[in-house]
Amino acid sequence: ARPETRPASYPDLDLTSPQGQAVLDSRIASAIRQVCGRAYPTDLQSRRQVERCRAQTLADVQAQRNDALAQAGNDRIQFSARR
């Protein structure tokens, strides 16, 4: 079975600001909740599966999040002249 995906877009955010990063994190958390679904409160196994899905999905997306933040801070090219 192919895993379900959800986007967490951010072109409207300033990822160099703490506020922009907080909104991105909120969007990521929302997408993870949608992808992993909800657990039945009385079903311990269901709750564990959803918690595991959320933790694994968050771990998987951290590299993409960190890349987006790094790219947001690189709006200039740094160079030095060789003499």
Side-chain angles (χ1 to χ4, degrees):
R2 186 175 166 195
E4 187 175 347
T5 61
R6 289 280 189 274
S9 62
Y10 56 89
D12 59 320
L13 301 178
D14 175 5
L15 296 183
T16 62
S17 75
Q19 297 84 3
Q21 293 172 17
V23 172
L24 176 61
D25 290 340
S26 176
R27 290 179 186 177
I28 289 171
S30 177
I32 289 172
R33 284 191 303 274
Q34 290 175 3
V35 167
C36 292
R38 300 177 90 179
Y40 297 105
T42 58
D43 184 351
L44 187 57
Q45 184 177 357
S46 170
R47 286 184 16 211
R48 285 186 192 142
Q49 285 177 324
V50 169
E51 288 171 6
R52 189 176 319 116
C53 175
R54 289 179 180 180
Q56 289 174 344
T57 305
L58 180 60
D60 290 346
V61 81
Q62 283 303 314
Q64 292 179 59
R65 177 198 180 272
N66 293 340
D67 286 347
L69 296 181
Q71 289 177 12
N74 291 331
D75 57 355
R76 285 175 275 167
I77 297 173
Q78 303 256 349
F79 62 93
S80 59
R82 294 182 183 209
R83 295 179 180 222

